[in-house]
C-alpha cells in the first residue's frame, strides 16, 4: 500500500511516499528557515502562506517525478499538534487529493510520527523500549510498550529543550533554529568557564525544566558589558552541557527503573552529538541497545508521517471532516482519527 505522507505542522513543507516493501521511495522537504530567520522564530501567518504556495509545486516536481499518482492508495497527514493554519493547509491538500483519487486519509499525530521515525526501514521493533522525545515543542521520556501504548514517565514543566536552545541562541545573536548553531559555537568554548544549574536534577521525578537554565544564561550575559565571541562560545558550551545533562540524568534514572533493553532518542534535538554520546554511554551502562533516526528524520519530515499513517492504516477513512487540532497530547492518542 503506497502511502503519501504530508507534514506542515510548523516551518517545513514535507512530502514522502512509503512503500511497505521498499521503505521510503520518494521524499522532499522545503524548509522555511530563511523566511522566519529574521524574526528569530516561526511567524504562524507567514508559515501558512508559504505552505500554501510550496506544497503543490513540491508534490509535482519532487514526488510525481518518481511515482505515478494513481499508485497512491492512502494519504497520511499531520493533523496536530502544531500551528493551526499550517496544519489546515496540509489537511486541505490531503483531503482534496484523496477525494480526487477516491482513496482514504488518516490524520497522524506529529509526536507519534517522531516516535516511529527511528524504526523506518527496520523490520522488527523490539518492544518494550524507552524513548526520549526531544524537539522544539516537547521534551518527554516515554515508556513504549507497543504501537499506541505510550506511557509518559516525565516531561518538561516549562520550555521544551529545543525551545531553550532556540531562546539561548537568540540571546547569543545566533540564527534560528538555535540548536545546530549552539552546537557549532560550543566547539570553540572553553570547558569550566561557566557552570549553569540543572533544575529538578536532584528531585524524585522524571520531569524536567529548562526555563531557569535559559534565565541563568541571560544573567551571565548581563554580567558582561560587551561579550566577546569567546565569551559567547563559552556560554554556548556550558548551556549545551547543562541542557544535555538535564536530559541524561532523567533518562539514566528511567533506564534503571524500567530495565528496558532498547533506548531510543528522536526529535530535532536528537541530532545533537553531545546528547547522542551521553545517551550511548547510558545505554552501555544499562547493557541496552540504542537507536536514533537517520539525521534527516530527526527534524520534521514527512517520511515519519507516511510510515506512521501506514502503521495506523486500519483507522483511515474516506470521511473528509476536519481533524486539525493545534494541541493533541500523546496521552489522548486513543482519540485517533481518520
Ligand atoms: O522536531 P523538530 O524539527 O520540530 C518540532 O517538532 O519542534 O525540532 C526542532 C528543534 C529546534 O528547537 C532546533 O533548535 C532543535 O530541534 N535542534 C537541535 C539540533 N538540531 C535541531 N537542538 C540541539 N542540537 C542540534 N544539533
Ligand atoms: Zn517535530
Amino acid at each position: 500500500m503506497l502511502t503519501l505522507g504530508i507534514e506542515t505542522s510548523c516551518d517545513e513543507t514535507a512530502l514522502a511516499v512509503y512503500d511497505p516493501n521498499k521503505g521510503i521511495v520518494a521524499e522532499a522537504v522545503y524548509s522555511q528557515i530563511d523566511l522566519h530567520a529574521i524574526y528569530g522564530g516561526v511567524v504562524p501567518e507567514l508559515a501558512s502562506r508559504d505552505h500554501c504556495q510550496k506544497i503543490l509545486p513540491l508534490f509535482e516536481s519532487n514526488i510525481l517525478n518518481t511515482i505515478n499518482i494513481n499508485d497512491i492508495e492512502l494519504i497520511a497527514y499531520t493533523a496536530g499538534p502544531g500551528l493551526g493554519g499550517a496544519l489546515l493547509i496540509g489537511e486541505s491538500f490531503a483531503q482534496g487529493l484523496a477525494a480526487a483519487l477516491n482513496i482514504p486519509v488518516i490524520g497522524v499525530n506529529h509526536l507519534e510520527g517522531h516516535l516511529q521515525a527511528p524504526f523506518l526501514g527496520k523490520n522488527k521493533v523490539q518492544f518494550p523500549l524507552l524513548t526520549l522525545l526531544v524537539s522544539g515543542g516537547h521534551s518527554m521520556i516515554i515508556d513504549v510498550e507497543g504501537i499506541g501504548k505510550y506511557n509518559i514517565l516525565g516531561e518538561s514543566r516549562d520550555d521544551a529543550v529545543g525551545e531553550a536552545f532556540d531562546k539561548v541562541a537568540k540571546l547569543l545573536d545566533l540564527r534560528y533554529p538555535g540548536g545546530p548553531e549552539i552546537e557549532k559555537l560550543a566547539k570553540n568554548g572553553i570547558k569550566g568557564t561557566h557552570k549553569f544549574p540543572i533544575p529538578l536534577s536532584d528531585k524524585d521525578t522524571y520531569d524536567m525544566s529548562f526555563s531557569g537554565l535559559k534565565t541563568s544564561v541571560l544573567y551571565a550575559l548581563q554580567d558582561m558589558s560587551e561579550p566577546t565571541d569567546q565569551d559567547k562560545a563559552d556560554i554556548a558550551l556550558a548551556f549545551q552541557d547543562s541542557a544535555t545533562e538535564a536530559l541524561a540524568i532523567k533518562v539514566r534514572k528511567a533506564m534503571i527503573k524500567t530495565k528496558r533493553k532498547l533506548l531510543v532518542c528522536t526529535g530535532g534535538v536528537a541530532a545533537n552529538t553531545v546528547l547522542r554520546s551521553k545517551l550511548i554511554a547510558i545505554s552501555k551502562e544499562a547493557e541496552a541497545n540504542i537507536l536514533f533516526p537517520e539525521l534527516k528524520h530527526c527534524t520534521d519530515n514527512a517520511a515519519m508521517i507516511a510510515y506512521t499513517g501506514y502503521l495506523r492504516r486500519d483507522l483511515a477513512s474516506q470521511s473528509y471532516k476536519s481533524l486539525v487540532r493545534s494541541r493533541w497530547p500523546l496521552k489522548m492518542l486513543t482519540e485517533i482519527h481518520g
Side-chain angles (χ1 to χ4, degrees):
M1 176 181 265
L2 221 51
T3 305
L4 171 68
I6 300 173
E7 157 62 37
T8 61
S9 68
C10 191
D11 58 345
E12 260 94 29
T13 314
L15 300 169
V17 179
Y18 177 72
D19 177 336
N21 300 315
K22 298 181 188 158
I24 297 298
V25 291
E27 183 165 14
V29 182
Y30 173 80
S31 170
Q32 303 178 350
I33 283 175
D34 291 342
L35 179 69
H36 302 289
I38 50 166
Y39 303 101
V42 178
V43 183
E45 170 77 13
L46 295 182
S48 313
R49 286 173 183 272
D50 210 45
H51 285 307
C52 204
Q53 280 176 10
K54 300 293 171 9
I55 195 161
L56 184 58
L58 198 68
F59 180 60
E60 287 177 334
S61 331
N62 297 64
I63 301 294
L64 294 187
N65 58 344
T66 312
I67 59 141
N68 184 326
I69 196 166
N70 293 310
D71 291 339
I72 301 172
E73 291 169 88
L74 171 67
I75 301 183
Y77 67 95
T78 304
L83 303 172
L87 290 164
L88 282 167
I89 306 297
E91 182 179 69
S92 309
F93 186 77
Q95 294 184 347
L97 190 58
L101 297 173
N102 195 22
I103 59 173
V105 283
I106 176 163
V108 170
N109 181 294
H110 181 83
L111 301 176
E112 186 171 36
H114 277 303
L115 278 185
Q116 297 300 337
F119 310 121
L120 258 170
K122 304 272 175 301
N123 291 330
K124 198 158 161 34
V125 182
Q126 178 195 336
F127 295 114
L129 52 92
L130 193 84
T131 296
L132 174 67
L133 194 168
V134 273
S135 69
H138 297 85
S139 312
M140 292 173 154
I141 297 176
I142 307 161
D143 193 34
V144 181
E145 286 180 29
I147 294 165
K149 294 186 183 153
Y150 310 126
N151 177 22
I152 299 163
L153 300 182
E155 56 193 319
S156 176
R157 292 185 183 174
D158 38 57
D159 292 351
V161 63
E163 188 180 356
F165 268 92
D166 295 336
K167 286 180 175 171
V168 167
K170 209 169 177 179
L171 294 174
L172 295 173
D173 298 320
L174 300 172
R175 262 175 68 93
Y176 173 85
E181 298 295 314
I182 289 192
E183 183 169 5
K184 215 184 305 159
L185 183 62
K187 293 203 168 86
N188 305 327
I190 300 166
K191 227 178 165 56
T193 316
H194 297 273
K195 182 133 185 66
F196 297 124
I198 303 176
L200 301 181
S201 60
D202 55 347
K203 296 278 182 298
D204 190 22
T205 170
Y206 298 105
D207 282 353
M208 297 153 272
S209 161
F210 295 96
S211 79
L213 182 54
K214 172 206 65 196
T215 310
S216 304
V217 171
L218 176 67
Y219 290 157
L221 280 166
Q222 282 173 346
D223 283 346
M224 299 168 180
S225 49
E226 191 110 352
T228 62
D229 288 349
Q230 186 60 53
D231 290 332
K232 289 182 180 177
D234 294 345
I235 286 180
L237 176 64
F239 164 76
Q240 179 175 250
D241 275 352
S242 295
T244 54
E245 196 52 32
L247 297 167
I249 287 168
K250 299 300 178 177
V251 170
R252 184 177 290 111
K253 193 176 156 78
M255 284 298 278
I256 291 169
K257 171 85 179 155
T258 60
K259 300 189 174 59
R260 296 304 183 218
K261 289 296 157 206
L262 178 59
L263 173 60
V264 174
C265 180
T266 187
V269 186
N272 187 282
T273 53
V274 175
L275 177 62
R276 283 185 176 225
S277 46
K278 288 184 178 178
L279 296 178
I280 289 168
I282 291 171
S283 70
K284 283 190 181 141
E285 284 163 30
E287 295 177 357
N289 293 320
I290 187 155
L291 190 62
F292 299 95
E294 267 187 72
L295 266 188
K296 66 177 176 182
H297 295 149
C298 284
T299 45
D300 289 349
N301 65 87
M304 66 184 194
I305 303 301
Y307 178 57
T308 306
Y310 173 78
L311 295 176
R312 293 286 206 168
R313 60 194 176 280
D314 289 350
L315 299 158
S317 83
Q318 281 188 252
S319 114
Y320 305 132
K321 61 180 193 282
S322 181
L323 306 168
V324 159
R325 38 169 112 167
S326 37
R327 285 181 53 78
W328 184 10
L330 263 186
K331 48 187 159 228
M332 285 167 68
L333 215 54
T334 39
E335 298 171 34
I336 189 82
H337 27 247

